[in-house]
Amino acid sequence: MADFQTPEFREYPAVPNTLIPNATAHLSPFVAKPEHQEQLGFPGELVDNWEEKAIDKMGDLLGKYRSLRVYLDSCVKCGSCTDKCHYFQGTSDPKNMPVARQDLMRSVYRRYFTFAGKTLSKFGLGGIVGAREMNREVLDEWYSYFHQCSQCRRCSVFCPYGIDTAEISMAAREIMDHVGLGQKYCNEILGKLQKVGNNLGLPEPALKATLAEYGEEIEDDTGLPVRLPLDVKGADILLITPSADFFAEPHIDGLMGYAKVFHEAGVSWTLSSYASEAANFSMFIGSYSNMKICAERIRDAAIELGVKRIIVGECGHAWRVAYSFWNTVAGIGSGADENDVYAQKLQKQLDHSFKQPTHICEFTYDLIQKGKLRFNKAENDHRTVTFHDSCNVARGSRMGDWAGGQFDIPRAVIKACCNNYVDMDPDSIKEKTYCCGGGGGLLTDDLMEIRVKGALPRMEALKDVSDNKGVNTLAAICAICKAQFAKVLPYYNFPMSMLVSTHQLVGEALVMTGSEQEKELMEEEAEASEED
Amino acid sequence: MSVLYALLFYVAFVLLVGGVGFKIYQYWSTPAPLKIPTTPAPTTRGGVVFRIGREVVLFESLFKSNKWIWLFGYMFHVGLALVLIRHGRYFQEVGPLLKFLQPFGIYAGFAMVAGLLGLWARRILVERIRYITGPSDHLILALLVGIGASGLMMKFVKHTDIVAVKVFFQNMMQFNLGALSLPGDPVLMLHLFLVAVLMIIFPLSKLLHAPGIFFSPTRNQVDNPREKRHIAPWAAEMEK
Ligand code: SF4
Ligand code: SF4
């Protein structure tokens, strides 16, 4: 299968690893080609005076991001975060300890931006405060280890100062992009999104055909004319979902689940071919300007279609961007200042009695609360389900009105349509959830080794409930998690079929008004009452 | 010698206040362009104050993470806080609060040093922490242990004329340079010298974690991005 070893399950719960220095120093993603770089406004290849440029860019970011400045100063090397990263747990490489990952940049910061580092370095004593010159070796190390961080923020939960390694690795990638050393996977995809409208480069006709096909499939199953509308002007709701929902398994089943819920709720909704992507990899590369360009496609589509509400499909980082950043970068949200012409342009049009944007789970949950959805839970009785909290949803966003709604709402939705639900080890869920191993722009075949190894802690927790609690179904709410698990589960001897989309469970148990399923149920009930 | 020490303390004081003041200004004036609280996060300002309060007073996140580091770190910091309060008597008249805390201060000195030694032991014994420890981390620990140990020596081994020390600092604060005279006790001299060094390196080192925690966006932001548009000045420029 591959030229590396899938890690062995450790004794559970696991004890901290013994260090294996440079265990994954050989892992680096493919470098972006000049055309991938240039389409995002970055130099095509490593510029001549890149050392200087990198330091300049770092200075620029230090002035723009308080997080970077404070975090590079504040770490006391307490060690609290050292065993918290899934990549460290899966590789034992000390540079995958969050603080050590930060130190790859902090050493350069100290050398060029602190009094102690600058002064001591003059006498060749920079090492006392861990200061290092920026050179090729350092750059290579950055390229390798800042692409072994999925920006999942687990480390930030446990740091006494909230130091978020994700902020550092985003800054590092932004600096590398600016000197001409970008990552192929992210930058190529961002180019497609900015040109065509989605990560796949799927043009409108193909998308239209695909959606029609799924509509027919639902109709065959339910007998109801469920449609997945595209580019409908005047629709109330614009659905923004990761493009993986259009072609990958089990994502598609989730998409069909949303369509059923919308149909049952009787709302008018549409997808947009211009903004057919919820994902926004700009976050991974730490690029504010690109994040804005990508999000503005959605803003423009919403204005163009005249929708009142924006709903986001199942995706982790996309929901973080939508929930936390859309209002900032593109004015998609509520509460902009009256004089904020830019943001008001869209906000005047939206209906602020709803949360803007709304997560699809919030939408479904709301209908469940109001008693508007009927489920036949028995449809999911062959399953014992557990739920994987996506890192970006868990630690970078919220659902509902209360802190922690992002944990409660998806679980409530699943429990509404499944009889058997079990949580994994408390140290591996909710705010302490482990990344799937493929987030942060690592979901590419050239990083397969780190993806498999990084999945270890999640796989261990899954193994625990599958051995001891009979769990046979893993529900996810993120396009990246789903794609990652689909690849990685077999390495750990789990069947790929155990993976489902959360709205797939919804779609399977939903009894739509007037559907074949409803008729069958009524017949069964009639029979049962005759027997009585 | 006394005048030299007074000068040293004037310099140390200016560097400490100026340096930390500058860093605080720098943190304050650097925008946080995006909403990045580590969620679940409070949805109100009051909730945020409470969250930071728990971090500062209880070391909540550290407690979640690692009970040993928490224990030693907590011993050290609480000990240090009490000892600092106790040292208030060198700079002002002893009020009721100080009087009440005096006896705790004595044990606090031991707790402080014990906590430091615990943290130091982890730096040497735990492989992961040994890996991330650099020379400056050992030096800062040595400095703090030196301060604590010399202080304890003056209390329990060889008393210093603390009344004279008090007079020294009060004269110093009134810029009464002619009247300065410190007891010529080498342990006291060492203690005071190390304290001055600590004051000087404070704004230049990881000791900046003290102001840093109040400026950490993952901890001090309100979780309300959907309800209120948050935008930094440099980012707003892009919309013009
Ligand atoms: S953000 Fe996640 S992947 Fe990155 S260092 Fe922290 S724990 Fe590891
Ligand atoms: S937990 Fe925070 S302060 Fe402690 S070593 Fe990690 S990053 Fe540094």
Side-chain angles (χ1 to χ4, degrees), chain A residues 66 71 73 76-77 80 82 128 153 156 161-162 323 327-328 334 340 357 362 394-395 397-398 431, chain B residues 23 26-28 30-31 36 38-39 64-65 123 127-128 136 206 216 218-219 223 225-226 229-230 235:
Chain A
R66 183 186 291 165
Y71 295 158
D73 274 340
V76 296
K77 313 291 168 80
S80 165
T82 49
I128 293 180
R153 316 181 90 207
S156 94
Y161 318 110
Y323 174 88
N327 203 358
T328 297
S334 304
D340 183 343
E362 290 178 307
R395 292 184 284 262
S397 79
R398 173 160 55 96
E431 71 167 351
Chain B
K23 283 313 272 192
Q26 190 182 48
Y27 295 158
W28 188 276
T30 307
I36 58 164
T38 310
T39 58
K64 255 186 231 171
S65 170
R123 289 214 181 280
E127 193 192 20
R128 281 174 288 121
S136 59
K206 67 176 185 177
S216 170
T218 57
R219 294 292 182 268
D223 176 19
R226 285 194 286 193
R229 185 162 196 237
H230 168 97

Side-chain angles (χ1 to χ4, degrees), chain A residues 81 84-88 96-99 101-102 148-156 163-167 169 391 395 435 442:
Chain A
C81 62
K84 300 299 185 281
C85 178
H86 50 291
Y87 293 118
F88 171 67
N96 278 325
M97 300 191 293
V99 42
R101 197 186 312 284
Q102 297 159 23
Q148 297 185 40
C149 168
S150 58
Q151 308 173 340
C152 76
R153 316 181 90 207
R154 191 170 194 269
C155 44
S156 94
I163 295 176
D164 181 3
T165 316
E167 289 292 305
S169 76
C391 51
R395 292 184 284 262
C435 166
L442 273 55

Side-chain angles (χ1 to χ4, degrees), chain B residues 64-240:
Chain B
K64 255 186 231 171
S65 170
N66 189 310
K67 302 291 186 279
W68 284 112
I69 307 179
W70 180 86
L71 181 70
F72 293 136
Y74 205 73
M75 269 167 74
F76 162 60
H77 282 88
V78 171
L80 177 67
L82 287 169
V83 167
L84 280 178
I85 292 173
R86 193 173 138 84
H87 278 64
R89 66 179 167 166
Y90 294 106
F91 304 99
Q92 62 180 73
E93 289 315 311
V94 178
L97 179 71
L98 267 183
K99 211 171 221 142
F100 170 72
L101 287 172
Q102 288 297 322
F104 298 103
I106 300 175
Y107 302 106
F110 284 106
M112 180 183 137
V113 174
L116 284 170
L117 293 176
L119 290 172
W120 210 345
R122 288 185 61 82
R123 289 214 181 280
I124 295 160
L125 299 175
V126 180
E127 193 192 20
R128 281 174 288 121
I129 304 185
R130 187 165 66 231
Y131 181 89
I132 59 166
T133 298
S136 59
D137 300 306
H138 288 297
L139 288 173
I140 288 179
L141 274 168
L143 184 62
L144 288 166
V145 169
I147 292 172
S150 56
L152 286 172
M153 258 178 73
M154 285 184 282
K155 176 80 202 162
F156 295 100
V157 182
K158 184 168 165 295
H159 278 281
T160 289
D161 183 354
I162 57 170
V163 178
V165 176
K166 179 170 181 164
V167 172
F168 170 81
F169 276 105
Q170 278 174 349
N171 277 326
M172 213 188 108
M173 287 197 308
Q174 288 154 13
F175 295 96
N176 211 344
L177 296 187
L180 289 175
S181 98
L182 263 182
D185 173 352
V187 183
L188 174 69
M189 291 303 197
L190 178 70
H191 186 71
L192 292 180
F193 177 74
L194 295 179
V195 170
V197 172
L198 181 72
M199 288 165 73
I200 292 168
I201 66 158
F202 197 101
L204 306 176
S205 67
K206 67 176 185 177
L207 301 177
L208 283 171
H209 67 280
I213 180 161
F214 295 97
F215 290 93
S216 170
T218 57
R219 294 292 182 268
N220 76 6
Q221 287 186 336
V222 180
D223 176 19
N224 63 354
R226 285 194 286 193
E227 288 76 21
K228 197 163 173 298
R229 185 162 196 237
H230 168 97
I231 185 141
W234 64 260
E237 283 301 310
M238 299 164 102
E239 283 160 18
K240 295 217 173 107

Side-chain angles (χ1 to χ4, degrees), chain A residues 227-299:
Chain A
R227 293 285 168 268
L228 288 83
L230 185 65
D231 296 329
V232 178
K233 274 203 180 179
D236 284 339
I237 294 172
L238 171 61
L239 174 71
I240 299 292
T241 206
S243 59
D245 283 2
F246 303 135
F247 82 104
E249 283 291 354
H251 308 58
I252 299 168
D253 303 291
L255 175 67
M256 294 204 276
Y258 322 149
K260 286 183 180 176
V261 171
F262 285 138
H263 185 92
E264 184 64 11
V267 294
S268 81
W269 68 286
T270 186
L271 286 151
S272 155
S273 59
Y274 178 75
S276 42
E277 183 61 76
N280 192 335
F281 284 15
S282 321
M283 181 178 95
F284 300 154
I285 62 168
S287 173
Y288 190 102
S289 54
N290 277 293
M291 185 149 77
K292 186 171 175 64
I293 292 170
C294 298
E296 278 181 342
R297 287 186 82 93
I298 295 160
R299 163 195 153 91

